Amino acid sequence: MQVDIKPTEQILARHPARPQFLISVLQDIQLAYRYLPREALERVAQALHVPLARVYGVATFYKTFSLSPRGERELRVCTGTACHIRGAPLVLHELQSRLGIKPGQTTEDLSFSLEAVNCVGACALAPVVMVNDVAHGNVSVTSVRRLLKAPARGAAEPAPPAHDPVRTPDPAVRYATVEDFRRHVAQVKGSELATRRRVLMCCGTGCLAGGAQGVAQAFAEQLDDGKLAELNLVLKRTGCHGFCEKGPLVVLMPRGLFYKNVKPADVPAIIERSIVHDEVIEELLYVEPSTGKPVAGYGEIEFYAQQTRVAMRNIGLMDPASLDDYLLRDGYAALARALSEMTPDGVLTTIEKARLRGRGGGGFDAGRKWRSCRRAEGEARYVIANGDEGDPGAFMDRSIMEGDPHGVLEGMIIGAYALESHQGYIYVRQEYPLAVRHLQQAIEDARARNLLGDDILGSGFSFDIEISRGGGAFVCGESSALMRSVEGKVGEPRAKYVHATDKGLWDQPTVLNNVETWVTVPRIVEQGADWFLGLGTEGSKGTKAFSLVGKVKNTGLVEVEMGTTLRQIIFGPGGGMLDMGDRGRFKAVQTGGPSGGCLPESMLDLAVDFDTLTEAGSMMGSGGMIVMDHSTCMVDVARYFLSFLVDESCGKCVPCREGLFQMYHIVSRICEGQGRPEDLAQIEDLSQSILVGSLCALGKSGPNPVLSTLRYFRHEYEAHINERRCPAGVCKALITYSVVNASCDGCGACLKACASSAILGTPKKGDTFNIDEAKCDRCGACVTVCKRGAIAVA
Amino acid sequence: MEQENLFEMTINGRRVKAAPGELLLHVARRAGIAIPTLCDHPAVEPFGSCRLCVVEVTRESWRGWKGIMTACLYPAAEGLVVETDSDRVRHVRRNVLDMLLARCPDSALIQRLAAEYGVTRTSFTVRDNPDLCILCGLCTRVCETAATSAISTVQRGHHREVGTPWGGPPPDCIGCLACAHVCPTGHITFQEQGLTRSIWGREFELQRCGDCGKPLPLTVDQAAFLAQRQELDPSYFARCADCQRKSVAQTMGRIAGWQRLGLVQEGEEVAS
Amino acid sequence: MSTLRLVVQPQYCIGCRACEMACAFTHGTNGQVGASRCQTLTVGKEAYVPVLCLQCDHAACVQSCPVQAITQDPVTRIIHVDQEKCVRCMACTVACPFGNMHVDPMGGFVHKCDLCTGHGDYPRCAMFCPTRCLSVEREA
């Protein structure tokens, strides 16, 4: 079959002919053809002066790329931690049965492709399945049928309005000087944009998955410019409020009226009753789990009231696509101050004084890193924002990039000023298309107003930012691998003996910090180092954003002061455990993603802080916090993390590539009831070598989940090995499903739901139902559909 | 080694001198201390993938903390204290070799090295259909340095392998055999018969001597590549060593003036 | 330390091949005789020429090596092959216009005349040449 090479030529024409653009070019080709045709790659090798073997190596390294055509509907089942414990494996299994294909395959008629992918960052709505670019939340084994009918191409977000009726008078504003800027800010703060009432409609990825698009559209249709002016109102699509489970969310400001689970059908009532008549609609109010009472005010809801939002201070309260909205929130004031009143060294000293530690996982002192970079010699200095957020269960960075893109930019520009860097990159993972769009828009808007580019605000300082997209590789969250990826190469880490601050991107001095770290910088410059020092603990200053997911009532984004205890977070904003009953009791909380560990009930009063978490056998990581109850098997969790790491390992070094793989084998055997007495000793011995011998942090911290579960839940491992028993009732080989005939009413729902025809009996004929153990897949479909709880798992 | 800027450090209890930026592996070798390696080769940049050359490193300012670093990449520094054979080091090496033995049970090299660390049989699960590739990456790296980057690593994690575009004969290969010669386990093989050399599923024609017609140890593609890359006229790669020697002997003979003395006639045979 | 130069005056060569034997024995390992880096060729009926590395100033071998395993010592002007760096691509064996890069038949590695560096640092061939066809000059 001849491949049309024209799209490839067009894509190549859009990019400079240099090797660093390889990944970006390949991504566009994947989008255009739904795979990477050989002819296209041969042309790319020629055009970018990259050897064909290297192009092929890059194409096969990154998961986004496919060498064979993908289906019209690409179904990506998220297998992130939150989704895993909320039933993703069963959803995947169901899709496999219905489509007749395995993950990684495409149906013969090219209508569907099935992939098991790593965390897409919509954890509060677990289990999540992406159909092309659109996320579908709360998917269950039974709702899969509906999912397969979802449209092939849906807009990932509502189209922006033709024009914002409350735009500032002169769209061609450009700040030649700091005074210009300050004058304009004053103008905006006195304009209608500032004074009108606001309807904040959350349009983060999570709420979109819940149907926020329809809600936003309903508001836009029913309130035209005239009506908006009449009601002194402005409609604002915002970023993720962080309370994803209760989405779609609508908040009316300035009153702060908070409505949850809003549907398009609710919109007329909201307009008529709440906006026009200032009435509260009880049914849409959030009910506080601790009191059982509905709460009307945004500021009174425990989930928000108990947070201290610094990094996330803007998200949900402004339109990320509006630079003016950002100005209303004192955006770019810190930059103006830095450029006009501070020297580069002054800015650096402020960050050093504030003792800001990196929020990406390493917790390294940012000021020290910046200082080393400034001291290093090189032809150019680079500044990078790590937006790769690969930890399954974490989506703080997604919300920040989607909801406050200018915050990230401002932080980077200030940092670049301190470091005398003139080029920055934001590396965004492939799975966050909305974040890429919003960041790109913000960059263009900032450039247009002279907040980015040459001679920023007339200060003489020049700096520009480019977005670099990931290709579906968790290892690219590792800083040296990330830099290789920006250079257009495979994401293989380098030994850290030579620091990136000396030789980083293109072997030049580079500072890489996480998105959350960057967004905190303007706050520190604005309010001073002492303010920041006043928050947090002795060793960890400031606040930290966590994505609290799993078996809690309120899943979402929680930002608290360092030093808050795990108990306070989980039972405070978290609202406590999700399920009632014995199996719903708290069992463990996993922090730090695949590099972290699981902490048991006895450690709930641990104060969250970089060092205390590490001492306890876990780590802060990027902020993922996954709550597990007694329906979770800790050995299965260890296996889950090992399988993730095995999948994401770059494969360069022996201890990680071979060692984690062998560990996965051992733990799998244990889960399958084939554990041996010497297994635990071998795991511990092997872990030590992997810990010290691996090349990068992925390998080095790889054994942590296993070691922490062994430390606190050794009895579970022993039960699996010595008794062939899974106490939590999860490991398929060790459990059986049976019908409790006393409770069964013969409705036959289980029979219909069973994909393996393992249930025998005739509905409504008074038969006793039996499950054929040999055929039973333990998929759990019958348990889900049985209204009598008549299926027992033991 | 330049004599200025040398400083002192310690290896296995011995004081040695090292130059700034010198890699520990080289410092150790100079001191006569052998450190095992698999993925290191002087012709290419160090890679740090096999982890066999790990050593234990500390300095006074680290207050007793000891790091495990690969000697091939870690730079020497004043006051550094290095142990090349401590228990921790041997533990890592043992496990690395044990894992490699599970990956390549039939490799004589791995068997020998593993035995040195007490491993005669792997304690891990042996790979299905194992071959001899230990994924040291030497072949792809030397191809990049010395040739055309015709081969590369493909996929990632435990699916990673050394491969060619779409698994077929690599279009950019010039048949120089550098990959086969640096491969430590003999995984990469080639055949040479008459005027043909084959490797990676490709057949190459050997360059022939312009004088005697015998095949040169270079392929036609390789000769063309070398001429261009090393900026030498193609005529440098057109004659075999034997004929080169005969030619120079002939010339030298003439220069020595035997022709005048009648001992050598024009066009006479030169024999060795 | 003065630099050595090997002077070759083929008009004095009598074809005795003592140079070849001296070279082979000097470069032997483990009691085995090595391969000679010098080859004496017969020209015509009675003329002989010892062919060995001329340590060229702009050597083709140095330039031809794709991994830069062949280097010239800036003081002694002797050209060395780094055996460990060499990847056996054989480019130098063909590039040398005088055929002075040799391949060891057993080990497959490339070697050349190095004026006996490390083996006494004085060319043995010159020491054993009866007619002073091969002789040593010291540069001041």
Side-chain angles (χ1 to χ4, degrees), chain A residues 184-519:
Chain A
H184 185 243
V185 171
Q187 217 180 321
V188 172
K189 285 191 171 171
S191 75
E192 283 208 296
L193 185 68
T195 55
R196 282 200 188 182
R197 297 187 293 165
R198 298 187 152 217
V199 177
L200 302 174
M201 304 167 291
C202 180
C203 289
T205 301
C207 282
L208 286 175
Q213 178 184 349
V215 173
Q217 243 164 6
F219 271 106
E221 279 162 15
Q222 291 167 41
L223 291 170
D224 63 14
D225 290 354
K227 275 229 105 180
L228 287 172
E230 194 190 302
L231 293 168
N232 191 32
L233 204 60
V234 66
L235 297 176
K236 285 291 175 182
R237 292 171 185 79
T238 71
C240 177
H241 280 257
F243 210 174
C244 314
E245 185 148 47
K246 306 288 177 272
L249 300 173
V250 173
V251 182
L252 303 180
M253 295 298 244
R255 182 176 171 172
L257 192 51
F258 184 92
Y259 287 146
K260 65 154 178 66
N261 298 126
V262 175
K263 293 188 207 36
D266 296 323
V267 172
I270 297 178
I271 296 173
E272 186 55 38
R273 292 175 59 191
S274 300
I275 295 177
V276 176
H277 291 108
D278 212 25
E279 281 170 22
V280 171
I281 304 176
E282 289 274 329
E283 305 83 67
L284 292 176
L285 287 182
Y286 166 73
V287 175
E288 197 71 78
S290 59
T291 60
K293 292 203 172 52
V295 184
Y298 185 39
E300 285 129 43
I301 296 174
E302 274 171 26
F303 180 79
Y304 291 109
Q306 292 177 10
Q307 293 192 38
T308 309
R309 287 196 163 193
V310 170
M312 300 201 297
R313 74 187 267 281
N314 291 333
I315 310 177
L317 299 173
M318 55 165 268
D319 177 0
S322 165
L323 210 174
D324 288 337
D325 250 17
Y326 187 61
L327 295 179
L328 281 180
R329 311 243 345 132
D330 295 325
Y332 289 114
L335 175 63
R337 176 156 176 253
L339 290 179
S340 61
E341 295 162 35
M342 298 168 83
T343 60
D345 195 75
V347 175
L348 214 169
T349 311
T350 307
I351 299 294
E352 278 174 316
K353 268 185 70 184
R355 290 167 56 197
L356 170 67
R357 287 174 75 166
R359 300 301 198 242
F364 192 77
D365 188 290
R368 254 181 77 189
K369 190 188 276 191
W370 291 20
R371 183 64 72 185
S372 307
C373 179
R374 216 181 130 81
R375 285 209 183 103
E377 279 173 25
E379 286 155 17
R381 288 207 191 97
Y382 295 106
V383 151
I384 304 182
N386 186 344
D388 195 57
E389 195 168 56
D391 278 1
F395 59 105
M396 309 71 63
D397 294 347
R398 170 175 72 67
S399 304
I400 292 172
M401 289 188 283
E402 281 176 9
D404 192 6
H406 283 287
V408 179
L409 298 188
E410 189 180 358
M412 287 175 75
I413 304 170
I414 294 173
Y417 176 65
L419 294 163
E420 287 178 65
S421 155
H422 304 291
Q423 180 66 48
Y425 294 90
I426 306 179
Y427 188 82
V428 186
R429 65 187 290 230
Q430 171 65 24
E431 295 85 337
Y432 289 170
L434 197 58
V436 172
R437 264 205 289 278
H438 287 188
L439 282 166
Q440 192 57 55
Q441 179 74 54
I443 288 173
E444 280 160 22
D445 288 347
R447 279 186 190 142
R449 295 215 189 159
N450 200 27
L451 289 161
L452 202 59
D454 284 329
D455 194 24
I456 295 174
L457 294 181
S459 65
F461 171 64
S462 303
F463 175 68
D464 202 2
I465 297 178
E466 241 180 71
I467 295 180
S468 182
R469 292 181 59 189
F474 170 76
V475 69
C476 286
E478 198 277 345
S479 56
S480 61
L482 191 157
M483 291 179 203
R484 301 292 81 71
S485 189
V486 172
E487 292 168 4
K489 303 182 181 138
V490 289
E492 278 172 17
R494 279 206 304 220
K496 290 282 210 18
Y497 312 144
V498 179
H499 299 293
T501 46
D502 285 317
K503 283 185 159 54
L505 194 60
W506 291 297
D507 281 340
Q508 298 300 320
T510 307
V511 158
L512 182 146
N513 274 122
N514 180 268
V515 157
E516 193 184 335
T517 314
W518 286 117
V519 88

Side-chain angles (χ1 to χ4, degrees), chain A residues 739-752:
Chain A
V739 178
V740 181
N741 283 295
S743 315
C744 172
D745 70 354
C747 73
C750 56
L751 241 132
K752 287 201 209 95

Side-chain angles (χ1 to χ4, degrees), chain B residues 29 41-44 142 145-147 176-178 181-182 197 216-218 222 225-226 229-232 236-242 244-250 252-254 256 258 263-265 268-272, chain C residues 8 10-13 17 39-52 54 58-68 82 84-102:
Chain B
R29 287 216 175 119
H41 192 286
V44 293
V142 84
T145 310
C176 72
L177 302 184
H181 288 129
V182 299
R197 178 187 285 176
L216 299 183
L218 306 176
Q222 191 184 357
F225 170 78
L226 283 166
R229 160 69 120 71
Q230 307 300 125
E231 290 172 5
L232 282 167
Y236 276 91
F237 300 103
R239 204 152 58 162
C240 73
D242 281 340
Q244 304 274 44
R245 279 189 291 270
K246 286 188 186 153
S247 159
V248 70
Q250 183 105 46
M252 298 265 215
R254 235 177 277 131
W258 269 299
L263 289 174
V264 164
Q265 307 303 324
E268 279 229 22
E269 280 264 303
V270 176
S272 59
Chain C
V8 184
Q11 61 267 39
Y12 299 128
C13 184
R17 296 185 169 85
Q39 271 197 29
T40 304
L41 277 72
T42 312
V43 183
K45 291 196 206 67
E46 282 175 7
Y48 309 96
V49 178
V51 179
L52 68 167
L54 306 173
H58 296 289
C61 62
V62 171
Q63 196 167 336
S64 71
C65 180
V67 295
Q68 295 163 309
D82 182 337
E84 285 181 5
K85 216 175 188 183
C86 169
V87 294
R88 322 268 202 271
C89 72
M90 301 296 150
C92 57
T93 63
V94 177
C96 174
F98 313 115
N100 283 314
M101 303 297 286
H102 305 280

Side-chain angles (χ1 to χ4, degrees), chain B residues 29-261:
Chain B
R29 287 216 175 119
R30 266 193 305 105
I33 298 170
I35 298 180
T37 62
L38 278 171
C39 71
D40 193 77
H41 192 286
V44 293
E45 291 297 312
F47 201 43
S49 69
C50 74
R51 318 307 285 178
L52 202 58
C53 69
V54 286
V55 293
E56 206 162 9
V57 166
T58 188
R59 352 163 57 135
E60 217 178 293
S61 56
W62 290 359
R63 286 179 271 172
W65 183 81
K66 293 183 179 172
I68 299 279
M69 319 289 190
T70 51
C72 63
L73 278 168
Y74 198 83
E78 177 145 28
L80 207 62
V81 176
V82 178
E83 288 287 324
T84 68
D85 219 30
S86 69
D87 284 341
R88 269 173 91 200
V89 165
R90 291 191 70 85
H91 183 221
V92 173
R93 289 193 194 146
R94 172 174 59 77
N95 266 323
V96 164
L97 289 164
D98 195 343
M99 292 178 224
L100 284 175
L101 201 55
R103 191 191 152 81
C104 301
D106 304 321
S107 161
L109 171 67
I110 301 297
Q111 285 166 5
R112 176 173 60 79
L113 283 169
E116 278 173 38
Y117 287 85
V119 179
T120 43
R121 257 187 69 202
T122 183
S123 42
F124 300 116
T125 312
V126 174
R127 187 165 51 133
D128 287 332
N129 304 317
D131 56 22
L132 292 177
C133 178
I134 56 171
L135 284 178
C136 63
L138 279 172
C139 52
T140 56
R141 288 147 62 205
V142 84
C143 190
E144 193 182 3
T145 310
T148 55
S149 287
I151 56 175
S152 64
T153 51
V154 164
Q155 303 202 5
R156 70 181 192 216
H158 71 107
H159 294 298
R160 177 188 175 103
E161 50 183 32
V162 170
T164 61
W166 290 272
D172 294 332
C173 180
I174 53 172
C176 72
L177 302 184
C179 55
H181 288 129
V182 299
C183 175
T185 60
H187 171 75
I188 302 179
T189 55
F190 62 94
Q191 284 83 42
E192 218 165 86
Q193 217 178 11
L195 286 170
T196 334
R197 178 187 285 176
S198 31
I199 188 173
W200 292 109
R202 278 196 60 185
E203 267 193 20
F204 295 94
E205 207 190 304
L206 289 174
Q207 182 87 321
R208 296 174 77 164
C209 174
D211 283 6
C212 67
K214 285 219 224 42
L216 299 183
L218 306 176
T219 66
V220 172
D221 290 348
Q222 191 184 357
F225 170 78
L226 283 166
Q228 190 246 327
R229 160 69 120 71
Q230 307 300 125
E231 290 172 5
L232 282 167
D233 192 272
S235 62
Y236 276 91
F237 300 103
R239 204 152 58 162
C240 73
D242 281 340
C243 291
Q244 304 274 44
R245 279 189 291 270
K246 286 188 186 153
S247 159
V248 70
Q250 183 105 46
T251 310
M252 298 265 215
R254 235 177 277 131
I255 289 169
W258 269 299
Q259 199 180 351
R260 271 188 277 114
L261 300 172

Side-chain angles (χ1 to χ4, degrees), chain A residues 175 512 562:
Chain A
Y175 311 126
L512 182 146
M562 297 276 200

Side-chain angles (χ1 to χ4, degrees), chain B residues 1-8 17-20 22 30:
Chain B
M1 205 175 61
E2 289 135 56
Q3 293 304 304
E4 325 98 53
N5 297 335
L6 292 186
F7 50 75
E8 263 196 11
K17 285 207 180 4
E22 214 188 336
R30 266 193 305 105

Side-chain angles (χ1 to χ4, degrees), chain A residues 532-548:
Chain A
F532 197 70
L533 289 170
L535 296 166
T537 66
E538 184 46 43
S540 308
K541 293 296 174 192
T543 58
K544 180 77 188 80
F546 293 97
S547 67
L548 185 64

